[in-house]
Amino acid sequence: MVGVGALGRHHARVARALPHARSAGVFDTDRERSEAVGREFGVAVRPSLEELLAVSDGIVIAVPTTAHEEIAMAAIQAGVHVFVEKPLAPDVSSADRILAAARDTGVIVQVGHVERFNPALVAARPHIERPLFVESHRLAPFTPRSLDVAVVLDLMIHDVDLLCSLIGKPVTRVAAVGVPVLSRYVDIANARVEFEGGAVANLTASRVSISKVRKLRIWQRSGYLSLDLASGKGEFYRLKDGVSALDGASIPRRVPPLAGLSAVVARIPIRGDGTEPLVAEQCSFRDAIAGLAPPPVTGEDGRRALQLALAIEQQIEDHVAHTRSASS
């Protein structure tokens, strides 16, 4: 583990107990913090990045985004596989340099979009078929963490990655608005994203809310999915067997006029298996290193999410600048 702050500490906790793997240790420029994490989880504390790389097959990078390229390049040049927490890099050029170096050396790059491993989403995957409209709400109370970036790269990027993986089509249009509230950067944002083929998504992210909300809703021809990513649960609603698309004539005659959707719509509960997403994520990185399976969230996936998130940020910056000029 490189970086044992709030998220890196959890990576260290998971790594020390990961089946079929051994934690090679932790390194942080804050020696006191790394020693505290080392004592807490019984893992070795390495005095330098170079010493950690020398004993590692792969590393998890959980440092500020501005340092991702420097740490990743050092690992890649040492032939060490890389797991980089999201976002992959602060900009697309930096991401491209990381990916080019990885291709040249044959090193694996996996990106930490942990919501891909959310139990609710994993359980819902068999029901997801060509989404036409996606809506996400990711709201969180204010904390002093990650205030070096806007809420888009801090929180919304989780849903940007999910959106890209669910739709799987090129983006054709982005419209976004947002405002800074408690920090120098945008704290609440909303984006509308349109895709080739007609799919549309509406994303909202806030880090100045009263309570936590992590909801994902998906509409498609075969039905509607409502997922609570915080609880790992959800529902899939579809027409009952024998009922075709509702046009009045297709509704069974036995259905009373005021019976509601329950008469023609089946509700299928979605329940995850309870696996901690971070554990599943690290297991996938371990398996990729061992050559058992390709990384489920590749460096190219991380670049794609970063590029769309930055496009959303640019739209918001333009909106904020226009709002300020109009009010002056």
Side-chain angles (χ1 to χ4, degrees):
M1 310 300 118
V2 182
V4 287
L7 184 53
R9 176 183 169 277
H10 284 295
H11 273 294
R13 169 183 60 81
V14 169
R16 61 92 184 255
L18 200 68
H20 312 298
R22 179 179 60 84
S23 174
V26 300
F27 167 71
D28 195 295
T29 53
D30 186 332
R31 179 69 185 225
E32 185 176 329
R33 183 164 57 191
S34 60
E35 288 182 346
V37 170
R39 287 192 300 270
E40 182 179 7
F41 300 119
V43 297
V45 177
R46 306 295 178 178
S48 68
L49 175 62
E50 292 72 22
E51 292 189 44
L52 179 63
L53 292 175
V55 295
S56 301
D57 295 311
I59 63 166
V60 171
I61 300 174
V63 299
T65 305
T66 51
H68 282 187
E69 182 181 359
E70 177 187 356
I71 304 299
M73 285 299 200
I76 291 168
Q77 290 164 8
V80 176
H81 300 294
V82 172
F83 176 102
V84 189
E85 265 304 337
K86 60 81 190 167
L88 171 59
D91 55 66
V92 174
S93 296
S94 177
D96 285 341
R97 289 190 291 270
I98 293 171
L99 298 183
R103 284 192 297 270
D104 290 344
T105 57
V107 164
I108 292 168
V109 174
Q110 181 169 330
V111 184
H113 287 290
V114 70
E115 288 288 33
R116 294 269 200 111
F117 302 88
N118 187 287
L121 188 68
V122 172
R125 282 282 183 184
H127 303 295
I128 299 175
E129 179 184 353
R130 295 185 60 208
L132 296 174
F133 184 72
V134 178
E135 184 175 60
S136 73
H137 287 86
R138 186 172 296 266
L139 316 178
F142 181 81
T143 68
R145 182 189 63 81
S146 297
L147 295 185
D148 59 331
V149 295
V151 71
V152 176
L153 288 182
D154 181 19
L155 297 180
M156 186 183 283
I157 195 167
H158 284 295
D159 302 304
V160 167
D161 172 69
L162 289 182
L163 180 63
C164 290
S165 69
L166 290 171
I167 304 297
K169 298 283 187 180
V171 173
T172 58
R173 185 172 182 270
V174 175
V177 294
V179 292
V181 180
L182 298 178
S183 75
R184 293 190 302 118
Y185 297 94
V186 169
D187 294 312
I188 182 167
N190 175 264
R192 177 184 170 89
V193 183
E194 299 177 13
F195 291 84
E196 190 176 287
V200 178
N202 189 48
L203 313 178
T204 300
S206 168
R207 58 187 179 194
V208 287
S209 297
I210 301 301
S211 57
K212 289 185 178 181
V213 175
R214 289 160 57 201
K215 295 285 184 70
L216 183 69
R217 299 175 178 89
I218 302 168
W219 286 264
Q220 55 194 31
R221 294 289 185 191
S222 61
Y224 158 62
L225 294 103
S226 176
L227 306 179
D228 186 335
L229 301 179
S231 67
K233 300 177 181 179
E235 293 83 30
F236 176 44
Y237 297 90
R238 62 168 178 79
L239 289 173
K240 289 184 175 180
D241 293 339
V243 179
S244 58
L246 300 182
D247 59 6
S250 65
I251 300 177
R253 292 183 179 181
R254 66 179 181 277
V255 177
L258 300 178
L261 285 177
S262 61
V264 292
V265 173
R267 174 185 174 274
I268 302 171
I270 293 173
R271 299 291 182 268
D273 62 5
T275 300
E276 183 182 353
L278 206 60
V279 172
E281 186 176 52
Q282 280 201 18
C283 283
S284 72
F285 184 48
R286 174 204 64 197
D287 291 349
I289 292 173
L292 300 176
V297 187
T298 65
E300 287 72 19
D301 291 337
R303 182 194 185 281
R304 181 178 58 181
L306 174 65
Q307 185 174 34
L308 178 52
L310 290 175
I312 291 171
E313 273 205 343
Q314 185 60 56
Q315 286 274 331
I316 293 173
E317 288 176 10
D318 293 345
H319 172 259
V320 171
H322 175 73
T323 301
R324 285 173 177 164
S325 63
S327 61
S328 61

